[in-house]
Amino acid sequence: MKKTVLSFTLAASVLALSACSGNASDDEVIVTSKDGDITKSEFYQEMKDSVGEQALQMMVIEKVLDSKYDVSDKDVQAEYDDVKKQLGDNFDQYLAQQGQTADGFKKAIKLNKLQEAALTDGIEVSDEELNKSLEEKSTELKASHILVADEETAKEVKKKADAGEDFAKLAKEYSTEEGADESGGELGWFGEGKMVAEFWNAAVAMKKGTISEPVQSEFGFHIIKLEDKRKTDDKEPSKEDKEKAKQELKLAKADTSTIVEKVAKLMKESDVKVKDKDLKSAMDMFNQSNSEVKDDGTDAPDEDAPVEEDEK
């Protein structure tokens, strides 16, 4: 599951802290033993000391985002089922490694989707962009490439390939990719998402039989030879397919660094106040963001902006 910058893996802890805020007395005994009991208030204190600030952040963020953006249980369940399907028999092990229950994982999914909604709020996707994306999703490419460490070498390889030298031989001579000695740089057929974005974006725009200019990625510089291109699905995309593709395009355009500022603004509007003095610093990053906005003179807060109270 993709995570935005404010996503935490503390959903199970949040559930535990939430359970401590019910109507029952804080002195309610939740564990008994011959060596002593554990009360609800003692459990709350322990959870607060260990994960309190992050868990509180998560709960407040969810509340303020949930009041503005709509993430349905159906959407959450769909992503949960998708992850479970992808992981198969390893799903339970994955939850255990994350320290989560099924309910906790769903809470994490919901929080992630709420943050995505905030990040993409106001971002537009044109019909042309959407249609291009949908077309690429139903396209497969067959290509070879030569991977080198620097642009100078890449230009040298490109020049030799354009002059008609055998591409596979050049790959065996120059490519730093493991296995290139045997494969000659051949990659076979692949679709969107199988290669890094820079590689895919360059290759999908090429014509069959052409050789690319050097394409830089995190791995180095690629010289790509597009050998073939084919459609994998002529079926009309469903409404769900279009919505998913549109959201992916919005996220690609979104600036993740703005999420703290957006959440901080919503917290200010929601008049968030932390009553527990031990947890008051949990919202510091958001209060600081509001202060920075004020210093810039772009969105000065009102005099009654949220202030954490010292009283517990």
Side-chain angles (χ1 to χ4, degrees), residues 72-138:
S72 68
D73 292 341
K74 181 181 178 182
D75 291 337
V76 172
Q77 187 65 46
E79 181 159 334
Y80 177 90
D81 292 340
D82 185 48
V83 174
K84 188 174 182 179
K85 181 179 179 181
Q86 289 180 35
L87 295 176
D89 294 337
N90 296 319
F91 181 68
D92 290 339
Q93 182 181 357
Y94 170 78
L95 289 185
Q97 289 173 344
Q98 299 295 315
Q100 290 191 355
T101 62
D103 286 342
F105 186 51
K106 288 178 182 179
K107 285 184 74 71
I109 290 174
K110 182 175 183 179
L111 177 61
N112 201 59
K113 285 187 169 295
L114 286 168
Q115 291 181 80
E116 288 180 355
L119 277 171
T120 57
D121 191 7
I123 295 178
E124 300 293 334
V125 172
S126 68
D127 290 342
E128 181 180 357
E129 289 173 315
L130 179 59
N131 290 335
K132 180 175 180 290
S133 175
L134 290 169
E135 182 179 350
E136 289 185 7
K137 287 181 181 301
S138 62

Side-chain angles (χ1 to χ4, degrees), residues 234-252:
D234 293 324
K235 182 173 61 175
E236 181 69 20
S238 66
K239 182 180 179 180
E240 289 76 16
D241 291 335
K242 292 180 180 179
E243 285 301 318
K244 184 176 180 180
K246 182 179 288 188
Q247 181 65 9
E248 288 175 356
L249 288 169
K250 286 183 178 182
L251 282 171

Side-chain angles (χ1 to χ4, degrees), residues 4-272:
T4 48
V5 69
L6 294 178
S7 288
F8 305 113
T9 56
L10 294 169
S13 301
V14 170
L15 289 175
L17 285 170
S18 299
C20 291
S21 60
N23 296 323
S25 168
D26 285 346
D27 293 328
E28 177 191 0
V29 175
I30 59 175
V31 175
T32 63
S33 77
K34 293 179 180 179
D35 298 314
D37 300 338
I38 297 175
T39 66
K40 182 179 176 183
S41 61
E42 288 173 334
F43 180 61
Y44 172 82
Q45 186 64 45
E46 180 63 30
M47 296 299 292
K48 185 175 74 171
D49 291 343
S50 58
V51 297
E53 289 196 1
Q54 285 185 305
L56 185 63
Q57 283 180 355
M58 182 176 180
M59 294 174 73
V60 174
I61 291 167
E62 182 176 357
K63 282 189 179 295
V64 297
L65 293 182
D66 199 26
S67 69
K68 183 172 177 62
Y69 303 104
D70 181 30
V71 173
S72 68
D73 292 341
K74 181 181 178 182
D75 291 337
V76 172
Q77 187 65 46
E79 181 159 334
Y80 177 90
D81 292 340
D82 185 48
V83 174
K84 188 174 182 179
K85 181 179 179 181
Q86 289 180 35
L87 295 176
D89 294 337
N90 296 319
F91 181 68
D92 290 339
Q93 182 181 357
Y94 170 78
L95 289 185
Q97 289 173 344
Q98 299 295 315
Q100 290 191 355
T101 62
D103 286 342
F105 186 51
K106 288 178 182 179
K107 285 184 74 71
I109 290 174
K110 182 175 183 179
L111 177 61
N112 201 59
K113 285 187 169 295
L114 286 168
Q115 291 181 80
E116 288 180 355
L119 277 171
T120 57
D121 191 7
I123 295 178
E124 300 293 334
V125 172
S126 68
D127 290 342
E128 181 180 357
E129 289 173 315
L130 179 59
N131 290 335
K132 180 175 180 290
S133 175
L134 290 169
E135 182 179 350
E136 289 185 7
K137 287 181 181 301
S138 62
T139 297
E140 281 189 337
L141 307 177
K142 186 179 182 182
S144 297
H145 82 136
I146 301 170
L147 177 65
V148 296
D150 59 88
E151 188 174 13
E152 183 179 351
T153 305
K155 288 180 178 179
E156 179 184 341
V157 172
K158 162 70 172 172
K159 184 176 180 180
K160 290 185 176 183
D162 285 343
E165 292 194 32
D166 185 85
F167 198 85
K169 289 182 179 179
L170 289 173
K172 292 177 181 180
E173 179 182 353
Y174 285 95
S175 187
T176 61
E177 182 188 29
E178 186 177 351
D181 284 344
E182 296 181 4
S183 69
E186 288 188 12
L187 298 170
W189 289 98
F190 57 90
E192 184 188 40
K194 298 299 183 182
M195 303 293 175
V196 291
E198 298 88 348
F199 188 102
W200 170 262
N201 292 336
V204 76
M206 294 171 63
K207 293 182 179 180
K208 180 179 175 181
T210 59
I211 297 172
S212 73
E213 295 295 331
V215 176
Q216 186 175 11
S217 78
E218 60 186 286
F219 300 105
F221 290 84
H222 308 260
I223 301 298
I224 306 168
K225 180 180 180 181
L226 185 66
E227 298 168 3
D228 207 350
K229 183 183 295 190
R230 68 187 180 191
K231 297 285 288 182
T232 59
D233 193 354
D234 293 324
K235 182 173 61 175
E236 181 69 20
S238 66
K239 182 180 179 180
E240 289 76 16
D241 291 335
K242 292 180 180 179
E243 285 301 318
K244 184 176 180 180
K246 182 179 288 188
Q247 181 65 9
E248 288 175 356
L249 288 169
K250 286 183 178 182
L251 282 171
K253 291 183 176 184
D255 180 3
T256 57
S257 67
T258 64
I259 186 63
V260 172
E261 180 182 336
K262 288 185 175 183
V263 172
K265 184 174 184 294
L266 291 174
M267 285 186 178
K268 174 179 175 294
E269 294 172 355
S270 185
D271 194 25
V272 173

